[in-house]
Amino acid sequence: MEYLTAALRADGTSGEIGAALSYHPAYVRKLRGQLARGVLMPCGGPIAIELESVNDRLRFTREKGIGVPESLELTPELAWLLGIYCAEGCIGVSRDRPNAAILSFCFGKHEAGLIARTAELLSRIFGARPIIMDRRTTTTVEVAQTSVARLFESLCGRKAHGKQVPPPLLESPETTIRAFLDGYLAGDGYRSPTHVVSLTVSERLALGLFELGLHLGVLPSYFEHTPAETKVIEGRTVNQRKLY
């Protein structure tokens, strides 16, 4: 309830707040009116959340979006999107609304091509309506559909240290594997004079990338690096993990 109240009081249009909360803008305006009149009250007891099939699509009960297709072919375009998620994607879940999840991709402001392609593929493959948010130091592409977010989580993991190569990719054609690697390296890789290099804090993802190289007839190099425990970034001290 505290999270909802803070969100409704925040600056922004009803559309922007609705996208963050997975609510329709009209419903956000209604809640803001109730908050202003002091009549906004917590909801009742917990509601069972289950999957339901509607018009050949799957979604969670009470989800506002249209859900995801019941079946999806792992095409090179979808593989590229999964790769860019492994590099730049995250899933946000509110402590007050644990059944609502937001899929987000974070880019540098100069990465206009990656931003446009990510948004276009999310729209074309999933029928989603991604929102491009211009933030202080980054630009994010966000989809406030729980079913889409949970699909990416189940295939690729969630937090940075929990990312993985999606298991179906290991049985895919070479073109699909290369598309995944292109997406991942576009977001989280660089070229040295002799190698294409990536860094990750997920050992599982690193080993998965190594295995993909073997599928392509390439023997990758694999290293581990343990940095200092903390590092100062923009005046804040952050913890550091082992890098692979």
Side-chain angles (χ1 to χ4, degrees):
M1 187 64 179
E2 292 178 358
Y3 173 82
L4 175 60
T5 301
L8 294 174
R9 286 174 173 163
D11 293 334
T13 66
S14 297
E16 292 170 341
I17 294 174
L21 296 173
S22 298
Y23 288 166
H24 191 280
Y27 186 52
V28 172
R29 289 191 287 271
K30 175 183 177 181
L31 293 178
R32 278 180 151 178
Q34 291 178 339
L35 181 63
R37 298 192 303 272
V39 296
L40 182 63
M41 300 295 291
C43 298
I47 299 173
I49 302 297
E50 299 176 345
L51 278 175
E52 60 183 9
S53 176
V54 180
N55 298 326
D56 296 325
R57 299 182 72 91
L58 290 175
R59 68 182 184 185
F60 293 100
T61 53
R62 301 180 67 85
E63 183 178 356
K64 303 299 181 182
I66 62 174
V68 297
E70 285 189 335
S71 63
L72 273 174
E73 180 184 358
L74 184 50
T75 63
E77 288 183 329
L78 177 55
W80 186 92
L81 195 56
L82 295 173
I84 202 73
Y85 169 79
C86 284
E88 305 289 7
C90 66
I91 295 173
V93 179
S94 166
R95 189 168 50 184
D96 297 320
R97 300 185 68 239
N99 295 318
I102 296 177
L103 175 65
S104 179
F105 299 78
C106 184
F107 299 102
K109 291 180 176 293
H110 63 285
E111 296 179 305
L114 294 180
I115 294 168
R117 189 178 188 198
T118 299
E120 192 270 332
L121 289 179
L122 286 167
S123 176
R124 178 146 51 89
I125 295 174
F126 295 101
R129 292 183 292 179
I131 297 174
I132 298 176
M133 303 286 289
D134 190 23
R135 304 187 182 278
R136 184 175 67 86
T137 59
T138 62
T139 298
T140 60
V141 179
E142 302 180 6
V143 172
Q145 287 182 225
T146 300
S147 53
V148 177
R150 294 304 187 190
L151 176 61
F152 276 77
E153 179 181 2
S154 65
L155 288 172
C156 303
R158 182 175 163 189
K159 297 183 179 180
H161 62 275
K163 295 285 183 65
Q164 66 175 17
V165 170
L169 194 68
L170 300 175
E171 301 178 4
S172 297
E174 180 176 321
T175 53
T176 305
I177 292 175
R178 287 186 178 277
F180 173 86
L181 290 173
D182 285 345
Y184 176 74
L185 293 170
D188 206 10
Y190 67 92
R191 292 185 179 273
S192 76
T194 57
H195 291 76
V196 176
V197 184
S198 71
L199 295 175
T200 175
V201 295
S202 170
E203 181 180 20
R204 187 171 185 177
L205 176 58
L207 294 175
L209 294 169
F210 187 98
E211 184 174 350
L212 291 183
L214 299 180
H215 280 267
L216 298 178
V218 176
L219 180 62
S221 301
Y222 175 85
F223 303 94
E224 296 182 6
H225 170 64
T226 302
E229 291 187 0
T230 60
K231 181 179 181 179
V232 177
I233 299 178
E234 292 192 344
R236 296 184 300 111
T237 300
V238 297
N239 296 322
Q240 297 195 106
R241 293 177 175 270
K242 181 185 291 188
L243 292 171
Y244 304 92

